[in-house]
Amino acid sequence: MNAAPDGILLVDRAGGIVMANAAMQTISGYSADELCGQSVSIFLPPDLREAHARHLAGYFHGPSRRPMGMGRDLWIMRKDGSSLPVDIALGHTDERGGTAVAFVRDISEVRRLEARMHYQATHDTLTGLINRWQFGQRLEQAIAESARSGQSFALLLLDLDDFKAVNDGYGHAAGDQVLLEVARRLKSVLRAGDALARLGGDEFTVLLPQIAHAQDAEQAATKLLDALCRPYQMHGFELDLGASLGIALYPGDAQDAATLMRYADMAMYHAKESGRAHFACYAPPMGIRMAEKLQLHERLKMALAYGGLALHYQPQVDVATGHMQGVEALLRWTDPQLGEVPPDRFVPVAEATGLILALGAWVIDTACHQIALWTDAGMPLRVAVNLSAQQLRQTDLVEHIERSLALRGARPDLLEIEVTESEAMADPEQARRVLCSLQALGVCIALDDFGTGHSSLAYLKQLPISRIKIDREFVRPMLRTSADATLVQAIVVLAQTLGLRVVAEGVESADQLRLLADFGCNAYQGWLFSRAVAPGHVAQLLQASQAPQGVPAGQGPALLGVSTVPV
Ligand code: C2E
Ligand code: CA
Ligand code: CA
């Protein structure tokens, strides 16, 4: 008996311990002497002893066998007062007027394992936060509680901006570090009753119980985003990261878990479109807009794979000579079902879904191809390409552009990259690095939509920019008031003191052009000269602009009948 791995106890009718083997001594912490003659109730907390004695009497009345593994939670109290999870098998002999035999097995290891497995099934291993499944349980619980109490609560869904770039650029270990830090920062802002979970990847979710007003949730969202936007100190370098956050309210927006999650997700996408580090509350029209966007996204993916995209080119014309000096490539998409979709509609969708990277790569490659074709035809033209913010943050952008240039045999100095002021300002240091690498390739840089961002002069001077494009919103009202005209003039003067060339966008009338000439603006772009045209029409426009007799601005394309070219 002393060799048996399980504890063995012999108990008489009165509940007295007759014998305890060695394993039983280890399990209980008592010696054999301490146990023999004692009541078995010694293994129970005092408040359970009486009930157990009755139970035991009943047992001897009609003894039955009880095997191990009946799955009941059984505990014994050890000598030191601690309790130990055990499993107990019971048998019975008629010796000495009836003796019960108990086999007692220590199952603390099994329980520990079960607890570990439960933890792993309900928690995220990296951050230790609860996982999607467990959060689902909490959400159901919150719904049940709030339905009873009439309280509302908020569901927040949070997604890091461009986390992929961290993983790609710095490795997965760095990515993990960032996620850990994100979890830590989120926890530090939240209160004890709030639930925080990692849904997977770079997606987190928060449940804020007992929210009286939407403003309370918005306040929490602001705090969370603020905490996340502080720079991240990684081994030797600093990283800027934002997050986008969507909010859905119970019961105002929806009353079931799945719909709440979906609405928070829609709000989050909406926030992503407004730029980095934004939050948005769910609003009913988002549902409709979301469906449209999903459709656009799907169709756009098809176009990228099977055709339907094209670049059209809008001339940039020298104000003084009327000569065309370059073109801007503008993306055109014709879908068999949706017809022509303007870039203002599909570019934001592509940005929100990440498709913009593939789309941008296609644009760069196609533009490089066109540069090579025109150069081969004896018409070396500078082609400007629009770059979206995400492309600018892409770690292999420079490499990719270099490859496209080489593969297509395009002259780097004929490629110009247009970045908007706000894109360049989002992460100034990173933007500067990328733009300097591009400049080193021989590629030119233009600052697009100038005047709409908030760049500081000192910063602009540090960027390797060769051209500034005055946004068409400034050019349009130029003839209306002198204040509007003065603003354009000021931008021209400013650019020139920085040694930059200036292109005015959206020039539609000869009067606007005259005024721009007075201000000393270098070049213009606009419907006055030509809309964006298919590549086959560019040669005609170029020849017309360079005709020796000089075609007056605004009449060149009309004389050639090109202004009626479908765009
Ligand atoms: P943007 O870069 O400011 O492009 C100039 C826009 O002004 C073009 O609109 C052009 O057609 C329009 N425009 C040109 N002349 C005039 C004019 O005289 N009057 C008026 N009212 N408008 C004029 P579009 O082609 O619809 O493009 C809109 C925006 O879509 C672009 O603004 C750009 O931000 C984006 N986009 C277009 N192509 C691409 C692309 O390949 N990649 C990326 N990332 N964005 C693109
Ligand atoms: Ca542009
Ligand atoms: Ca522009």
Side-chain angles (χ1 to χ4, degrees):
M1 280 216 224
N2 279 338
D6 288 342
I8 302 174
L9 274 178
L10 299 186
V11 178
D12 64 23
R13 285 190 86 97
I17 298 175
V18 177
M19 198 282 304
N21 74 339
M24 195 61 223
Q25 293 164 40
T26 315
I27 287 173
S28 67
Y30 292 104
S31 69
D33 288 347
E34 286 172 313
L35 288 176
C36 284
Q38 279 286 347
S39 160
V40 268
S41 63
I42 191 172
F43 299 129
L44 296 163
D47 54 332
L48 291 181
R49 285 180 188 169
E50 204 176 308
H52 184 258
R54 276 201 303 277
H55 182 74
L56 195 69
Y59 179 79
F60 279 106
H61 219 71
S64 64
R65 289 181 38 167
R66 195 196 111 96
M68 290 263 179
M70 281 175 60
R72 294 230 331 259
D73 266 347
L74 299 172
W75 301 80
I76 65 164
M77 203 172 76
R78 306 184 73 236
K79 186 181 176 185
D80 61 10
S82 63
S83 48
L84 193 77
V86 291
D87 200 353
I88 297 177
L90 283 182
H92 176 263
T93 78
D94 289 329
E95 257 174 67
R96 294 182 237 180
T99 304
V101 187
F103 297 88
V104 182
R105 183 171 295 173
D106 174 1
I107 56 165
S108 47
E109 195 48 46
V110 175
R111 287 277 183 268
R112 258 198 295 279
L113 207 69
E114 278 172 1
R116 261 245 322 272
M117 279 165 64
H118 178 74
Y119 181 86
Q120 268 173 1
T122 53
H123 287 74
D124 167 44
T125 32
L126 175 67
T127 59
L129 299 177
I130 58 171
N131 65 9
R132 179 186 290 274
W133 185 85
Q134 182 71 359
F135 187 81
Q137 304 291 105
R138 291 289 292 271
L139 187 54
E140 294 291 358
Q141 215 179 349
I143 289 173
E145 274 164 25
S146 300
R148 234 178 295 120
S149 66
Q151 287 265 20
S152 37
F153 69 83
L155 178 69
L156 276 56
L157 201 69
L158 199 148
D159 185 277
L160 301 182
D161 298 326
D162 309 316
F163 179 68
K164 195 179 169 304
V166 177
N167 265 338
D168 292 350
Y170 301 95
H172 284 269
D176 284 356
Q177 281 312 109
V178 168
L179 289 174
L180 272 173
E181 176 63 13
V182 165
R184 205 188 56 74
R185 290 187 189 183
L186 293 176
K187 259 189 275 182
S188 73
V189 174
L190 295 174
R191 293 166 310 177
D194 304 341
L196 169 65
R198 178 173 172 223
L199 295 187
D202 58 348
E203 250 190 9
F204 294 83
T205 183
V206 176
L207 197 153
L208 301 174
Q210 298 172 8
I211 286 286
H213 305 285
Q215 291 97 300
D216 298 346
E218 291 174 15
Q219 229 170 36
T222 309
K223 270 206 261 172
L224 289 167
L225 290 183
D226 282 351
L228 291 187
C229 287
R230 288 197 313 270
Y232 292 73
Q233 305 295 339
M234 303 295 293
H235 311 286
F237 53 89
E238 207 180 81
L239 212 64
D240 277 308
L241 214 68
S244 304
L245 195 156
I247 304 174
L249 294 175
Y250 173 97
D253 292 333
Q255 284 94 49
D256 68 284
T259 313
L260 277 170
M261 287 293 269
R262 205 155 48 84
Y263 284 179
D265 195 51
M266 281 181 197
M268 202 260 301
Y269 265 104
H270 188 80
K272 268 220 190 298
E273 276 172 24
S274 344
R276 310 170 89 199
H278 278 72
F279 71 82
C281 294
Y282 172 77
M286 281 181 194
I288 303 163
R289 284 214 303 275
M290 193 73 187
E292 280 172 10
K293 277 175 204 156
L294 281 179
Q295 188 199 24
L296 276 187
H297 171 81
E298 284 309 313
R299 312 277 328 164
L300 193 54
K301 244 180 21 197
M302 302 277 277
L304 208 61
Y306 303 113
L309 296 171
L311 285 185
H312 280 198
Y313 299 87
Q314 185 177 40
Q316 294 180 346
V317 184
D318 190 301
V319 169
T321 64
H323 290 183
M324 215 172 112
Q325 41 163 253
V327 291
E328 175 181 1
L330 292 162
L331 193 50
R332 296 293 176 258
W333 173 28
T334 313
D335 180 86
Q337 283 177 16
L338 306 170
E340 272 181 37
V341 188
D344 284 338
R345 250 184 84 203
F346 69 79
V347 168
V349 173
E351 275 171 345
T353 59
L355 197 61
I356 193 71
L357 294 183
L359 206 60
W362 182 89
V363 169
I364 289 167
D365 191 58
T366 307
C368 286
H369 192 192
Q370 192 60 60
I371 290 172
L373 288 176
W374 279 333
T375 309
D376 289 349
M379 198 176 86
L381 254 187
R382 191 185 62 233
V383 176
V385 165
N386 291 283
L387 210 64
S388 96
Q390 275 182 60
Q391 285 176 281
L392 197 61
R393 291 195 291 273
Q394 215 182 355
T395 44
D396 56 356
L397 174 75
V398 180
E399 222 172 286
H400 171 250
I401 292 180
E402 192 174 11
R403 208 169 34 230
S404 280
L405 284 167
L407 219 63
R408 297 300 191 174
R411 266 171 51 189
D413 62 305
L414 291 180
L415 181 66
E416 183 166 86
I417 296 294
E418 291 192 5
V419 289
T420 69
E421 210 185 344
S422 41
E423 279 161 18
M425 284 304 290
D427 183 351
E429 196 31 53
Q430 207 255 353
R432 206 181 64 86
R433 264 201 315 272
V434 172
L435 296 184
C436 284
S437 313
L438 286 177
Q439 189 194 33
L441 284 184
V443 172
C444 327
I445 315 287
L447 202 60
D448 202 358
D449 299 351
F450 185 80
T452 56
H454 309 275
S455 18
S456 78
L457 263 182
Y459 170 62
L460 277 187
K461 268 172 78 173
Q462 291 172 20
L463 290 180
I465 305 169
S466 42
R467 223 177 301 278
I468 277 182
K469 301 187 72 177
I470 305 179
D471 192 64
R472 53 186 187 276
E473 290 306 309
F474 291 95
V475 174
R476 197 164 38 89
M478 214 171 51
L479 298 169
R480 276 212 309 262
T481 72
S482 65
D484 288 314
T486 313
L487 187 62
V488 172
Q489 187 177 22
I491 297 177
V492 175
V493 171
L494 164 78
Q496 279 163 353
T497 54
L498 290 171
L500 304 170
R501 304 188 67 77
V502 192
V503 184
E505 286 186 329
V507 177
E508 295 180 3
S509 76
D511 289 335
Q512 284 172 326
L513 180 59
R514 258 190 296 280
L515 208 54
L516 288 167
D518 286 347
F519 295 161
C521 181
N522 306 103
Y524 77 97
Q525 193 181 331
W527 297 345
L528 171 65
F529 184 80
S530 170
R531 295 187 179 234
V533 297
H537 294 293
V538 172
Q540 269 175 293
L541 290 173
L542 180 69
Q543 279 156 20
S545 83
Q546 289 174 344
Q549 68 271 27
V551 182
Q555 291 171 32
L559 286 174
L560 288 157
V562 187
S563 60
T564 52
V565 164
V567 290

